[in-house]
Structures are given as C-alpha cells and as structure tokens.
C-alpha cells in the first residue's frame, strides 16, 4: 500500500527498462563517456590552475564550465549506471531532490555562463587593446559569481515547488533521472502555476542569455568582416569557434528537448536527448576547447614533462 506522505519512500526510475538489451549497451557506452568526461574536465580545471599562461579570463570561465559539466554528469550518471546494471531501478526521495536541484542549478548557471563567455569573446575580438583592462579579475569573479548565484537561486525556488506537488502515491518516473518535466508528469494536481513560474523564470535564465549571445556574435561577425587580411579573419574566427560550437550543442539540445509534446514517443526521445546533454556534451566540451588550443596543449605537455623545445614549437 502506497504511503500518503509525499516526502518519504523511493521513486522508481523507469529509464530504459523496457529495452533490456539496450541497457547493457548503454552501461558500457556510458562508462567510457563518463570516464572521458571526468578526465577531460578535471584536466582542464587542473591545467588552468597550475599553468600561469592559462590565468586569463577565457580559461577562468572555461574552468567554471568544466566544473559545471562535472557536477552535471556526477549527479546523474552514477545513479543511471546502478539502475542499468541491476534489477533495482529505485532512487531515494533525498537522492531525487539532489538530482533535481543539481539539474536546475547547473542548467541555469550554464545558460548565464555561456553568455558571459560570449561577452568575453566580444571584448577580445572587438576591443582587443582594452581586453585586459575591461576583463579584469574582479569583473570576472563578479560575472562568474552572478552566474552561479542566479542558477542556484532558480533551483532553490523551483525544486521545493516541484517536489511538493501532490503525486497521489505515484512514484514511477518515466525517465532515468529526476528531471522537472518528468516529476511534473506524475503529479495528480493542477501544475499550471508551477509550469507558469518555470516559463517566467526561463526568460531571465534562458532567453536573455541567449539574446546576449546572439547580439555578441552579431558584433563579432561585423568586426570580423571589417578585417581585411585573411590571417586576421582566421585568427578572430579561431578565437570564437570553440565557444560557438559549445553554445550550439547546448541550446539546440535544450530547445529541442523542451519543445517536445508529452506523448510516449517524444518522452523516449527526451531520455536520449537528456543522456546526450548530461554525458556526451560534457565529454565533447574539453575536446572542442583543447583540440585546436595551443596554450592548452603546451600546458599539458609541460605537466607531462615533455621537452621545452617541443612546447615552444606547439606554442607558435
């Protein structure tokens, strides 16, 4: 018999339980991607801390992004792996609250942080002579703190409201993670106020940062077109290309995921999109930022103890 106390007992995360063969494949694939995500993002944070050449605004914000990716994957993938491996598909009420809080926080922080990184690229391309004067350490700290506090504040508001919705004993969540839309779907009460508030908060958390990103890259594009030399254009493009790819991955996944209707087919698509968002994207981000980044390569080679002449070759 189900308990009437909505704040006790376990939830059942259905996840991919209707596809037993897929579960084993996902377990192996997730293990590989999780290892790469943790290793890649931890490496970026470590290198940004120990190498003086990486003590710049761009790498400071990149370290924050890597920390966010670590929080995101660690709050969801270990629980998913446990559920994929064994017959138990449960998560405790506290565990579900932690996942929901982490998802809402990290999602909001990343939206704002990506807009801050776009502004950083705008200053680097459009005002290169004043870059270090404008993007001074105090401003970088304030911008990063604003992103973190805004995302956490959003989660502090929305997490209790979502978990307090009456569920009438329903504990079977058709997802592999305690995500807000999935929890709202098992509610047996009117959720319009909570959904309306979430939509309202999405304006400053999602829409305004996206607008700022588009405006920043509009100015960057105009500045690049005014550069007459091909080498200058290529350098300006390389300065922003990594961030543009990350922004495209992040927002295209989020927009597609939350614009889906609530039928079963779209819910299944939502699971794979969420898996892509919380595992594949955090795995790709370190490679996107470091693959063509000579400073990051040089810092890694220095830590590995390679010859200094090789570092100099890489750095030019």
């Amino acid at each position: 018999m189900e308990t009437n106390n909505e704040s006790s007992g376990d939830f059942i995360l259905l996840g991919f339980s209707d596809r037993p063969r897929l579960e084993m494949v996902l377990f192996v694939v997730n293990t590989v991607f999780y290892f790469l995500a943790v290793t890649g993002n931890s490496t970026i944070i470590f290198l940004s801390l120990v190498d003086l050449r990486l003590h710049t605004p761009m790498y400071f914000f990149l370290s924050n992004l890597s920390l966010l990716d670590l929080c995101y994957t660690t709050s969801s993938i270990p629980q998913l792996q446990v559920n994929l491996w064994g017959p138990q598909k449960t998560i405790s009420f506290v565990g579900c609250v932690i996942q929901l809080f982490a998802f809402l926080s990290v999602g909001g922080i990343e939206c704002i942080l990506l807009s801050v990184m776009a502004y950083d690229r705008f200053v680097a391309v459009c005002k290169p002579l004043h870059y270090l004067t404008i993007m001074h350490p105090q401003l970088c700290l304030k911008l990063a703190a604003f992103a973190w506090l805004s995302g956490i504040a959003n989660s502090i508001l929305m997490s209790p409201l979502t978990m307090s919705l009456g569920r009438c004993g329903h504990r079977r969540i058709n997802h592999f993670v305690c995500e807000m839309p999935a929890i709202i779907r098992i509610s047996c009460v009117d959720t319009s106020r909570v959904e309306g508030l979430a939509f309202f908060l999405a304006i400053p958390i999602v829409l305004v940062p996206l607008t700022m990103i588009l405006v920043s890259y509009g100015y960057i594009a105009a500045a690049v077109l005014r550069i007459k030399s091909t080498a200058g254009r290529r350098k300006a493009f390389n300065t922003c290309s990594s961030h543009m790819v990350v922004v495209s991955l992040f927002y295209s996944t989020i927009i597609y995921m939350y614009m889906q209707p609530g039928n079963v087919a779209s819910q299944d698509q939502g699971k794979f999109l969420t898996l892509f968002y919380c595992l594949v994207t955090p795995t790709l981000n370190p490679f996107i930022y470091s693959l063509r980044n000579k400073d990051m390569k040089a810092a890694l080679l220095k830590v590995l103890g390679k010859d200094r002449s090789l570092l100099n070759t890489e750095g030019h």
Side-chain angles (χ1 to χ4, degrees):
M1 183 176 179
E2 296 281 3
T3 177
N4 291 324
N5 186 356
E6 299 286 5
S7 62
S8 63
D10 296 339
F11 289 97
I12 300 173
L13 296 173
L14 298 179
F16 305 96
S17 57
D18 57 334
R19 304 173 185 179
R21 292 182 180 179
L22 178 62
E23 283 190 315
M24 289 298 98
V25 174
L26 285 177
F27 181 84
V28 176
V29 173
N30 290 353
T31 300
V32 174
F33 272 88
Y34 183 62
F35 173 78
L36 292 175
V38 171
T39 303
N41 286 290
S42 298
T43 300
I44 285 182
I45 294 172
F46 174 72
L47 292 177
S48 298
L49 288 173
V50 300
D51 196 295
L52 293 178
R53 289 169 297 182
L54 302 183
H55 288 185
T56 64
M58 184 179 78
Y59 294 108
F60 171 72
F61 294 128
L62 179 56
S63 297
N64 277 264
L65 182 63
S66 292
L67 180 58
L68 285 176
D69 285 341
L70 284 176
C71 293
Y72 203 69
T73 54
T74 304
S75 66
S76 58
I77 299 305
Q79 178 67 50
L80 171 61
Q81 293 298 84
V82 171
N83 291 351
L84 287 174
W85 182 256
Q88 296 294 327
K89 311 294 182 185
T90 58
I91 183 173
S92 67
F93 181 86
V94 174
C96 192
V97 170
I98 292 173
Q99 277 195 346
L100 176 64
F101 185 86
F103 265 55
L104 289 174
S105 296
V106 172
I109 296 167
E110 188 159 350
C111 286
I112 298 173
L113 184 63
L114 288 174
S115 69
V116 169
M117 295 174 75
Y119 175 72
D120 173 68
R121 295 300 83 203
F122 159 75
V123 177
V125 173
C126 299
K127 302 178 183 293
L129 298 179
H130 304 285
Y131 177 69
L132 294 178
T133 303
I134 296 173
M135 299 302 295
H136 54 83
Q138 291 80 9
L139 178 62
C140 293
L141 285 171
K142 289 178 181 178
L143 290 173
F146 176 75
W148 282 85
L149 291 175
S150 298
I152 292 172
N154 175 61
S155 187
I156 289 175
L157 177 60
M158 292 307 303
S159 295
L161 289 176
T162 304
M163 295 305 296
S164 65
L165 291 171
R167 293 179 291 273
C168 302
H170 298 155
R171 299 191 179 277
R172 298 168 66 87
I173 300 175
N174 189 20
H175 214 302
F176 66 85
V177 69
C178 289
E179 195 179 37
M180 189 171 74
I183 296 174
I184 288 177
R185 278 196 291 268
I186 67 172
S187 175
C188 61
V189 297
D190 181 20
T191 62
S192 58
R193 290 185 177 180
V194 174
E195 292 181 272
L197 180 59
F199 181 81
F200 175 77
L201 290 175
I203 296 174
I205 296 292
V206 180
L207 186 59
V208 171
L210 178 58
T211 303
M212 292 176 63
I213 291 170
L214 295 175
V215 170
S216 295
Y217 276 105
Y219 279 106
I220 289 172
V224 170
L225 291 175
R226 288 196 297 267
I227 300 174
K228 295 182 179 180
S229 68
T230 304
R233 287 187 180 184
R234 185 181 297 112
K235 182 178 180 180
F237 177 77
N238 289 339
T239 301
C240 306
S241 59
S242 298
H243 184 254
M244 286 190 292
V245 172
V246 171
V247 168
S248 300
L249 278 173
F250 177 79
Y251 273 102
S252 60
T253 306
I254 291 296
I255 292 172
Y256 185 80
M257 186 164 57
Y258 285 99
M259 290 296 286
Q260 290 293 298
N263 55 49
V264 174
S266 65
Q267 288 180 30
D268 286 341
Q269 288 182 3
K271 295 176 189 178
F272 288 103
L273 284 170
T274 303
L275 187 59
F276 182 89
Y277 172 60
C278 70
L279 184 60
V280 179
T281 301
T283 303
L284 292 177
N285 284 351
F287 292 98
I288 292 170
Y289 274 104
S290 62
L291 196 59
R292 298 173 62 187
N293 190 308
K294 294 178 181 179
D295 290 336
M296 191 66 73
K297 288 180 182 178
L300 180 59
L301 289 171
K302 182 178 179 181
V303 169
L304 295 176
K306 298 295 183 180
D307 184 71
R308 186 171 297 276
S309 62
L310 183 59
L311 294 180
N312 293 333
T313 302
E314 287 285 340
H316 289 85

